[in-house]
Amino acid sequence: MKRIPAALAATAASLLLLTGCGSGAPSGTASSDAAAAGSKSGSATETAGGTAEGDLREVRVAAVPVVDVAAIYLGEEKGFFAEKGLTIDIQFTPGSSISIPALLQDQYDVVYTGSVNAFQARETGLPVIAVAEGGRTTGEPGADHGGVVVPVDSEIQDAGDLEGKSVAVNAVKGLHEAAIRQSVKKAGGDPDLVQFLELPLPDMQPALERGAVDAISTSEPFLGNAKDAGHRLIADPYIDVDPEFVTAVYLTSEQKWAEDPQYIKDFVEVVKQSQEYATAHPDEFRTELSNFTEIDPETAESMILTKFGWGFPEQAMQRGAQATEEAGIIDDAAAGLDGLVVDVLK
């Protein structure tokens, strides 16, 4: 299994926008002994759903190397994909500006992406559908995997105090900005008076400590690192969108779903099984995270994990789309949601 540096993981996470992303990045392939054992011929698996007798059918997944994706790596290692006659080829890309167009050109079968990107893609008329949740907020104030942090001696006490202040985000007009705006509004402030500055996640804490920004909006493991350094959490933006806010999704194309629904259904069933296993076995999940990034085991042991849920809760999806509209990322929340979610397990 390819090992991805933590810096690349952070950079990829910071590029979860349909606009303003870079070009391609190295790819990594996930394959397990269990998957290999499931192939009678021992030959390479056919791509794009192709299959020879006795071979496992490959699912090409475009993703970024973040915490959520460790769950399907774990599912591959546990043999869940092989049990369905599948194996996964996870290819890491900088973000959705690369992966979603490639999905529609049949270069991938599934794309893992931020929910804000999914709303944006659907609103622009791209024929993509969300078939599985990628991750959610934990819904626990003070114990979420994303948060806004200030220096311990800062005059900023809550998100309302961010008016007139600078906040580092991993992408302007991205997931963090959409969520922070909800935190500011909830605390009685005007989000339009906040200055959002784009910085890679690894650069945020140093910028905060030298006074280059007033606050940072960051994610694990960088959130835990900042708190361990004595900086103060002032807001849980994901929770302020909705206590069940779906932060990421797995997309496929309408064409792929229409042409081969069983293939997509099998993949989604294994994603669900993998996420449920990861939730029930957090120690294995943390170990898997250390296997495919260079996040050290000690950090992986203490970091707050993504929560996995199922079913795309209607209120949370509506609030997510509304937050995306209020941030100016999309013009019409209803259009961003229209036809996006498809329950493939019916």
Side-chain angles (χ1 to χ4, degrees):
M1 187 173 297
K2 188 166 183 177
R3 192 170 175 83
I4 304 298
L8 174 57
T11 301
S14 74
L15 292 171
L16 281 175
L17 267 182
L18 280 175
T19 57
C21 296
S23 57
S27 65
T29 300
S31 60
S32 67
D33 293 340
S39 175
K40 294 179 183 178
S41 68
S43 60
T45 317
E46 300 286 338
T47 61
T51 179
E53 185 177 354
D55 284 344
L56 298 177
R57 194 174 186 190
E58 185 176 80
V59 185
R60 301 162 300 167
V61 182
V64 289
V66 291
V67 176
D68 307 7
V69 180
I72 60 172
Y73 268 99
L74 184 57
E76 176 83 345
E77 289 200 348
K78 303 306 293 187
F80 300 155
F81 282 91
E83 289 169 5
K84 281 286 189 181
L86 301 174
T87 186
I88 50 172
D89 174 17
I90 301 178
Q91 301 178 23
F92 294 118
T93 72
S96 298
S97 67
I98 301 296
S99 60
I100 290 179
L103 170 72
L104 297 176
Q105 295 170 8
D106 198 32
Q107 294 175 32
Y108 301 115
D109 303 304
V110 180
V111 167
Y112 165 93
T113 188
S115 56
V116 165
N117 305 5
F119 299 138
Q120 191 179 12
R122 192 72 194 182
E123 189 208 28
T124 59
L126 296 182
V128 295
I129 55 174
V131 293
E133 292 186 30
R136 291 185 187 182
T137 170
T138 66
E140 300 177 25
D144 202 9
H145 52 86
V148 179
V149 174
V150 299
V152 66
D153 58 353
S154 172
E155 64 182 11
I156 299 170
Q157 298 301 313
D158 62 26
D161 294 333
L162 293 173
E163 283 188 358
K165 305 296 185 182
S166 59
V167 182
V169 292
N170 59 357
V172 173
K173 296 298 183 183
L175 178 69
H176 279 257
E177 180 177 337
I180 294 167
R181 283 176 169 272
Q182 296 303 305
S183 297
V184 174
K185 182 179 177 182
K186 183 177 179 180
D190 182 350
D192 289 337
L193 299 181
V194 179
Q195 181 184 11
F196 294 100
L197 301 176
E198 188 167 313
L199 282 177
L201 288 170
D203 296 344
M204 288 186 181
Q205 186 176 330
L208 184 71
E209 291 172 349
R210 67 174 181 266
V213 293
D214 298 306
I216 60 175
S217 181
T218 189
S219 302
E220 290 287 7
F222 304 100
L223 176 60
N225 291 341
K227 291 191 292 185
D228 288 345
H231 303 303
R232 183 161 44 86
L233 181 74
I234 62 153
D236 300 287
Y238 297 159
I239 299 173
D240 288 336
V241 175
D242 189 272
E244 293 185 303
F245 179 41
V246 177
T247 54
V249 301
Y250 286 95
L251 298 178
T252 192
S253 66
E254 291 181 352
Q255 181 177 353
K256 180 73 67 175
W257 169 237
E259 291 176 350
D260 205 341
Q262 189 61 49
Y263 174 58
I264 298 301
K265 180 179 179 180
D266 287 346
F267 170 78
V268 171
E269 286 179 343
V270 181
V271 171
K272 184 173 187 289
Q273 182 181 11
S274 300
Q275 292 178 346
E276 288 173 345
Y277 185 90
T279 299
H281 301 84
D283 291 342
E284 292 185 49
F285 185 33
R286 293 177 187 278
T287 298
E288 191 58 46
L289 179 62
S290 295
N291 284 342
F292 88 101
T293 73
E294 288 184 353
I295 295 174
D296 65 86
E298 184 177 351
T299 300
E301 180 64 29
S302 62
M303 64 187 287
I304 297 170
L305 298 175
T306 302
K307 180 179 178 180
F308 295 116
W310 207 257
F312 294 102
E314 183 176 357
Q315 175 183 297
M317 294 300 290
Q318 289 175 345
R319 287 290 302 122
Q322 182 180 346
T324 305
E325 177 186 319
E326 290 178 10
I329 299 169
I330 60 175
D331 295 323
D332 186 344
L337 271 174
D338 186 29
L340 175 64
V341 174
V342 174
D343 183 359
V344 303
L345 299 185
K346 283 183 179 179

